[in-house]
Amino acid sequence: MEAVVSSGRPGTVLTFTMTAYAVMENNKHGLFTVFLLLYLIILTLNTLLITVIHQNKELHQPMNVFTCMLSVNEMYGTTALLPAVMALLMSDTHETSVKWCLAQVYFLQTYASAEFFILAVMGYDRYVAICCPLHYHSIMSYSKISKLVALASLYPLILFACFYALTLNLSFCGKVVPKLYCVNMEVVKNSCSSVPYISIVGLVLTVFFVFPLLVMIVFSYMQIARVCGKLLRESQGSALKTCIPHLFSLLNYTIGLLFEVIQSRFNMNHVAIDARIFLSLYFIIIPSVANPVLYGLGTQTVRVHTLKRFIRHKSLPSKIRDSG
């Protein structure tokens, strides 16, 4: 099939073909159902967690504010991914417009950046709560929480927008993206000219963004480990229990992100295509399902209020019958 070419800019294609969908053709109806169920589960779990936290003043604590941010970001990321995946899966040509592809690159990159930023802030919150418990509320004041929320929301958007502008200025002659969704480096490979500087700038910005956050996370948990080492065993367990959801979330997301970075930067043709597809979706789908469960059931106060909500709704019909 010949590339669709813009009449305004000769040599520039208007669509990309997402070739990863070819191997899913025989099972596309079943996979569509799986993706739809996953999307609905993610929206339901994260909305439930936000609702429970919002409706109970007892849960209006800094860590829960950041938990809500995490849930909002995960709904943002999955909405940028799964509806488009389902539409392309059922498409006959598996083509997507260049404009949507570039938009999806921005959405997914900002999701990934914001997710790591929020997890780093949550690590700092655990450090303050365990290492400076008497000063926790003065340090994590409303003003500071507001600034951290604004920083976690805006910094990834602005930082990646600067890098994203380089991709927006490209003309595209190739039209093949061997993925289920648009990734910046795969899109750049379709440029009409060689642009190695984009890869270099991307690596520099990634290091510039990730390194301070990584230092903050490592420092926070080194200090937590130091303080816990001085506590009695029972107190150690209580302190570390509050860190478990965050550690699981951090580890889960880091594994998924490493999979995606490796696939984007290195030739992975020796890995089975089914494995590559799963690993490419891991960093968005798995954390988005696991995190609301971890923070909803893994945190005692949130778990209690969540269970109360279900028990209240379950017992309501019987109470109506009794009153009747």
Side-chain angles (χ1 to χ4, degrees):
M1 184 183 293
E2 293 184 2
V4 181
V5 180
S6 166
S7 57
R9 296 177 70 182
T12 301
V13 300
L14 295 178
T15 62
F16 290 132
T17 302
M18 315 298 286
T19 58
Y21 289 91
V23 299
M24 305 166 72
E25 189 65 29
N26 293 334
N27 302 305
K28 66 180 183 180
H29 293 98
L31 289 168
F32 178 90
T33 304
V34 170
F35 288 138
L36 178 60
L37 286 174
L38 281 171
Y39 185 50
L40 294 175
I41 288 168
I42 288 166
L43 292 181
T44 302
L45 289 176
N46 284 285
T47 301
L48 175 63
L49 181 60
I50 292 169
T51 303
V52 168
I53 291 172
H54 174 71
Q55 291 184 348
N56 295 278
K57 289 186 178 180
E58 183 187 342
L59 301 178
H60 293 183
Q61 301 295 326
M63 188 63 169
N64 291 330
V65 172
F66 303 135
T67 299
C68 287
M69 280 195 71
L70 205 63
S71 286
V72 169
N73 189 55
E74 282 156 3
M75 290 192 286
Y76 163 69
T78 50
T79 299
L81 174 70
L82 288 179
V85 167
M86 289 186 283
L88 284 167
L89 188 61
M90 301 308 291
S91 164
D92 293 328
T93 61
H94 308 311
E95 289 188 348
T96 186
S97 72
V98 170
K99 288 182 179 179
W100 164 250
C101 197
L102 292 173
Q104 190 178 49
V105 166
Y106 183 77
F107 296 150
L108 295 181
Q109 186 68 42
T110 49
Y111 152 78
S113 303
E115 190 84 350
F116 194 63
F117 200 110
I118 296 165
L119 287 169
V121 170
M122 292 171 90
Y124 171 73
D125 176 85
R126 291 300 83 204
Y127 155 70
V128 177
I130 293 171
C131 299
C132 312
L134 299 178
H135 305 286
Y136 177 73
H137 290 290
S138 60
I139 295 173
M140 299 300 289
S141 62
Y142 178 81
S143 173
K144 189 162 192 176
I145 293 169
S146 300
K147 289 174 184 176
L148 287 171
V149 168
L151 192 61
S153 303
L154 298 176
Y155 183 57
L157 297 177
I158 295 169
L159 182 68
F160 186 65
C162 301
F163 174 57
Y164 182 65
L166 299 176
T167 304
L168 284 180
N169 288 325
L170 298 177
S171 298
F172 302 103
C173 294
K175 63 171 298 175
V176 174
V177 177
K179 302 274 288 183
L180 293 180
Y181 53 87
C182 296
V183 178
N184 194 63
M185 292 315 301
E186 294 296 342
V187 170
V188 167
K189 289 175 185 177
N190 289 295
S191 172
C192 294
S193 56
S194 178
V195 282
Y197 62 88
I198 289 184
S199 179
I200 296 168
V201 172
L203 281 172
V204 171
L205 278 179
T206 300
V207 171
F208 179 76
F209 177 80
V210 170
F211 184 72
L213 300 179
L214 197 59
V215 169
M216 184 163 69
I217 292 168
V218 172
F219 171 81
S220 296
Y221 275 100
M222 283 179 65
Q223 294 303 308
I224 289 171
R226 181 182 62 81
V227 170
C228 286
K230 299 177 181 179
L231 299 175
L232 297 173
R233 183 168 295 181
E234 186 177 338
S235 300
Q236 283 181 352
S238 299
L240 292 174
K241 194 181 292 183
T242 66
C243 299
I244 288 173
H246 178 255
L247 282 170
F248 271 112
S249 295
L250 185 62
L251 183 62
N252 193 24
Y253 180 69
T254 303
I255 290 170
L257 196 60
L258 283 174
F259 285 152
E260 180 52 29
V261 170
I262 290 168
Q263 284 198 87
S264 299
R265 294 281 174 177
F266 302 100
N267 185 353
M268 298 292 288
N269 289 334
H270 61 282
V271 178
I273 184 67
D274 293 344
R276 278 184 279 155
I277 288 171
F278 171 76
L279 295 177
S280 69
L281 296 172
Y282 186 107
F283 85 108
I284 294 182
I285 292 178
I286 304 301
S288 298
V289 173
N291 286 346
V293 175
L294 282 170
Y295 289 102
L297 299 179
T299 308
Q300 185 177 358
T301 52
V302 179
R303 180 172 67 247
V304 167
H305 284 284
T306 303
L307 292 174
K308 279 182 180 178
R309 184 181 183 85
F310 278 108
I311 292 168
R312 184 173 71 245
H313 286 299
K314 189 175 179 181
S315 62
L316 187 60
S318 61
K319 288 181 180 179
I320 293 173
R321 286 196 301 271
D322 293 341
S323 64

